[in-house]
Amino acid sequence: MSQDSTGAGATIRSGGPRTPEAAAAAVRTEAVRGEAPRPPRRRREVVAVLLFSGGPVFENSIPLSVFGVDRQDAGTPRYRLLVCAGEDGPLRTTGGLELSAPYGLEALARAGTVVVPAWRSITQPPPAAALDALRRAHEDGARIVGLCTGAFALAAAGLLDGRPATTHWMYAPTLAKRYPSVHMDPRELFVDDGDILTSASTAAGIDLCLHLVRQDHGAEAAAALSRRLVVPARRGSGQERYLDRSLPEEIGGDPLAEVVAWALENLHEQFDVETLAARAYMSRRTFDRRFRSLTGSAPLQWLITQRVLQAQRLLETSDFSVDEVAGRCGFRSPVALRGHFRRQLGSSPAAYRAAYRARNPQSVPPPEPPTVPAPRRPQPPGAAGPAGVAGGGMGAARTARRSRSPTRSRPATPSRTRRGTGERSPGARPYRDSGTGT
């Protein structure tokens, strides 16, 4: 007897796989009894990987490595892998390698999980026979997974209609344009919509495969597999920090390309969609329709996203305050920046900067030594350094105090000083205002 997890909180037992004839007989028996026909039982641990010619080697190899290698000695679960050819003829990868799949489309009827790691073209649909096989597998209760451009195969089969999905951020506008009923979200690393799952490119495919293992066998099994693969068990955030400012491929030769390029170069200015429509010599309504047809996104949402992305870059690479970042990204106020930033990235700008610099300490200028500071500018004659500094000490501090005039003078440098610094706080470091406060 083998145990079969349905993924719905129930566990059933079966005496092994049923033949198609036995499954059909069971359906006929249920119909005679007046019961609603049930889809065939499928074990999710039986994984079919659907390969096409022209697919990239890396994406194709991800599910093969995760589900096709027996690592039970390391505490990882065992899956049964069925490598299926999605079309006739030799399957050649982008590197010119030739693959030979031991199974065809008929094997999808035996799998509880069907993975499409990639599809070679974002503008052409896969073979009709492969799309039919995907639809039948889904109707029979299989879990369907599209990695990276594999989402285009799922969309072509109609499996993403009315559903949330993601793919590589560079291809997301094309998918949204070709399949407008898909709720495309290019910010996510992967999207789990129950029996349909999609992921962004390459490494995000590993994230989604580990997510499947976590669903099927729990967090410990997924953690053991991640240690074996030497990858994080979970990655936070999404694709936002990988997004590029480059234009979608399809807009390059369109007259709107010049307007979009101007907008990207002038994000520091305060302009709205009406300004862009005027530059395109269109009404706002016509511009909205034309822009959405080319990019798959509303122009206002696109503009806000680009401003937030620019804010991310400035928070990562500069010491501008949040107020300054808002002005340099075209937001009318810091409040507007904080609101859009939190809605898109789930944190405040200040928290994002702190988390980014904690993960990337090399992006922060090294702090001055606590006992022997290295001033960034020469000190004026007679100025006293912090107490305890080599060459200074309490004697130097007392000499400096005696040399001061009775009237208190302004600091020698334009930077602000913290209260309680100088000779009155022995051991304190000189404070340099980095302009990062909010």
Side-chain angles (χ1 to χ4, degrees):
M1 301 285 284
S2 62
Q3 196 174 45
D4 179 20
S5 174
T6 64
T11 300
I12 58 176
R13 293 187 177 273
S14 62
R18 296 189 296 179
T19 64
E21 293 78 11
V27 172
R28 287 195 297 270
T29 301
E30 292 166 357
V32 170
R33 294 175 180 174
E35 301 175 0
R38 292 173 296 177
R41 295 172 180 174
R42 290 173 178 254
R43 299 186 66 248
R44 289 190 166 182
E45 291 81 0
V46 179
V47 179
V49 178
L50 189 59
L51 301 181
F52 296 96
S53 186
V57 178
F58 194 178
E59 277 80 352
N60 285 339
S61 67
I62 288 172
L64 304 183
S65 178
V66 172
F67 301 113
V69 180
D70 186 359
R71 302 185 179 92
Q72 294 183 90
D73 60 327
T76 62
R78 175 74 180 271
Y79 282 84
R80 182 184 178 190
L81 184 68
L82 306 175
V83 183
C84 307
E87 55 191 336
D88 296 332
L91 306 179
R92 294 184 176 87
T93 69
T94 51
L97 300 177
E98 188 169 306
L99 305 178
S100 178
Y103 300 96
L105 292 172
E106 70 282 352
L108 268 62
R110 301 155 53 186
T113 301
V114 178
V115 182
V116 185
W119 169 240
R120 61 177 172 265
S121 173
I122 62 174
T123 58
Q124 299 176 358
L131 299 181
D132 290 338
L134 287 172
R135 295 188 195 99
R136 288 196 300 270
H138 180 249
E139 292 170 357
D140 290 343
R143 177 175 57 183
I144 311 297
V145 181
L147 308 182
C148 191
T149 53
F152 283 83
L154 274 58
L159 301 181
L160 298 182
D161 290 351
R163 290 176 176 263
T166 191
T167 187
H168 193 293
W169 59 262
M170 188 169 61
Y171 306 130
T174 302
L175 193 147
K177 176 186 175 183
R178 289 179 58 84
Y179 306 99
S181 60
V182 179
H183 303 317
M184 177 54 52
D185 189 351
R187 298 174 298 176
E188 299 296 335
L189 288 175
F190 64 84
V191 172
D192 180 348
D193 194 40
D195 54 350
I196 301 289
L197 302 93
T198 52
S199 80
S201 180
T202 313
I206 302 177
D207 295 322
L208 179 50
C209 289
L210 287 174
H211 175 71
L212 298 177
V213 175
R214 191 178 300 109
Q215 276 189 336
D216 297 339
H217 299 282
E220 288 299 324
L225 181 56
S226 69
R227 288 192 296 269
R228 190 64 176 262
L229 296 175
V230 197
V231 296
R234 287 180 185 267
R235 283 197 298 164
S237 186
Q239 293 191 81
E240 298 97 338
R241 56 197 177 106
Y242 306 105
L243 295 176
D244 197 351
R245 290 176 60 178
S246 57
L247 303 179
E249 296 177 1
E250 297 182 354
I251 199 175
D254 191 271
L256 284 186
E258 182 179 349
V259 177
V260 173
W262 178 88
L264 292 174
E265 293 173 0
N266 294 274
L267 289 175
H268 59 282
E269 298 183 5
Q270 291 186 6
F271 59 87
D272 51 20
V273 178
E274 281 76 8
T275 303
L276 299 180
R279 293 187 67 88
Y281 301 100
M282 297 180 184
S283 67
R284 171 63 188 271
R285 183 174 181 179
T286 301
F287 182 80
D288 284 4
R289 184 174 64 252
R290 182 65 176 156
F291 192 95
R292 186 185 291 272
S293 68
L294 285 173
T295 67
S297 173
L300 179 58
Q301 184 58 49
W302 177 87
L303 182 58
I304 293 173
T305 300
Q306 295 304 319
R307 294 195 190 281
V308 170
L309 291 175
Q310 179 69 358
Q312 281 184 271
R313 297 185 189 94
L314 293 179
L315 291 169
E316 294 169 358
T317 61
S318 76
D319 281 337
F320 295 133
S321 68
V322 174
D323 290 12
E324 290 175 308
V325 168
R328 290 172 180 266
C329 295
F331 288 103
R332 299 186 183 279
S333 69
V335 175
L337 167 61
R338 292 186 179 96
H340 291 301
F341 202 95
R342 183 175 293 279
R343 277 190 290 273
Q344 292 200 22
L345 301 179
S347 68
S348 68
Y352 176 85
R353 169 179 272 166
Y356 176 84
R357 292 189 171 179
R359 294 192 305 266
N360 303 273
Q362 69 278 6
S363 66
V364 183
E368 297 176 352
T371 56
V372 186
R376 296 184 178 276
R377 55 179 63 87
Q379 298 290 334
V389 175
M394 294 301 296
R398 286 194 295 269
T399 302
R401 286 199 298 270
R402 285 195 298 267
S403 65
R404 286 184 178 179
S405 61
T407 304
R408 185 173 182 177
S409 61
R410 296 178 60 84
T413 61
S415 61
R416 293 179 296 172
T417 57
R418 284 177 177 168
R419 297 179 60 185
T421 58
E423 68 278 358
R424 298 174 61 184
S425 297
R429 290 187 296 166
Y431 172 69
R432 181 172 64 88
D433 182 11
S434 61
T436 58
T438 58

